[in-house]
Amino acid sequence: MVAVTTASALLTGLSSCAGSQFTYVRDDDGATYFKVPSEWRKVDQASLDTKVFGDLQSETARLQKQLTWTVGFDAHSRPSADHLLVPGSLVEDQPFVMAKVQTLTPSQRNEVSLNVLRNSSGLPVALSTEARQQLESSSASPFKDFELLTDQVLPVKDGVRGIRAIFNYRLLGGPVQTFDETAYLSADGTHVSTLLIRCTAACYRKRTKEIDQVAQSFKVKRLTS
């Protein structure tokens, strides 16, 4: 279940957003939260799950879904999970944002690192030089022309570690896409929370301030028992 609250329903503790219209979103535990402009619409959950996990008849996909909370919002006039990754150009490309919170297995907890956070969206961001060369040269790979624009290790707060990376990819020969990714490891090391915002490079440049506002709002708080 996704908790979604409009700005008008919030208490005065969020009065700094007065005058703006946002949709506030949090995961089931309430530990991961962010906001999007109210005109951005939530996409169909079943369609998003198929995009993220694949065929849910697969036991592997079903297990991944059980361990992961997801939600997607689309600024397009016709919201669709298909806009998560766009192989070609849209007539009017608009920002798309996906958030997910993954519960780590014991083995994953032992291996988590900043590079794991960088790759937590499912896109290949942190790769060795050899792996990057193989990806770029492989005809089977849909992702080409990788460009890392910024890579920031965020300040540790209440034991929560995080990164923010902005990078470009050309997907299936289409226009250059800009991805803005923020990821956090929870203080107890059991969950990775990821926010991924996508738009064409031209769209991203045009709407940088708006997209940055969404990215900056993405937070993970430390829950006390």
Side-chain angles (χ1 to χ4, degrees), residues 32-102:
T32 299
Y33 55 95
F34 64 101
K35 68 181 181 181
V36 296
S38 58
E39 63 268 22
W40 296 19
R41 300 301 180 188
K42 184 177 179 293
V43 301
D44 178 72
Q45 190 64 46
S47 297
L48 181 65
D49 287 344
T50 299
K51 290 290 182 183
V52 175
F53 305 110
D55 186 353
L56 291 176
Q57 297 304 311
S58 160
E59 284 304 313
T60 299
R62 289 166 64 88
L63 177 59
Q64 289 177 339
K65 185 181 183 316
Q66 290 174 6
L67 294 174
T68 309
W69 170 90
T70 61
V71 68
F73 283 82
D74 192 354
H76 199 272
S77 58
R78 296 183 178 179
S80 172
D82 291 338
H83 298 159
L84 171 59
L85 295 176
V86 181
S89 60
L90 291 172
V91 175
E92 288 184 38
D93 189 32
Q94 304 290 338
F96 186 101
V97 57
M98 180 198 71
K100 68 176 187 175
V101 180
Q102 179 186 1

Side-chain angles (χ1 to χ4, degrees), residues 191-210:
H191 294 82
V192 169
S193 301
T194 307
L195 186 81
L196 183 70
I197 308 170
R198 182 215 61 79
C199 210
T200 61
C203 163
Y204 190 92
R205 287 191 295 269
K206 182 179 179 180
R207 303 180 70 165
T208 296
K209 290 183 179 180
E210 184 180 19

Side-chain angles (χ1 to χ4, degrees), residues 127 129-139 141 143-147 168-170:
L127 297 178
T129 301
E130 181 180 1
R132 177 65 64 193
Q133 291 173 345
Q134 291 177 349
L135 186 71
E136 292 284 349
S137 62
S138 172
S139 59
S141 170
F143 300 105
K144 303 294 183 182
D145 302 333
F146 175 76
E147 297 175 306
N168 286 341
Y169 261 122
R170 189 181 301 277

Side-chain angles (χ1 to χ4, degrees), residues 10-18 24:
L10 293 180
L11 299 178
T12 56
L14 294 173
S15 60
S16 60
C17 295
Y24 290 80

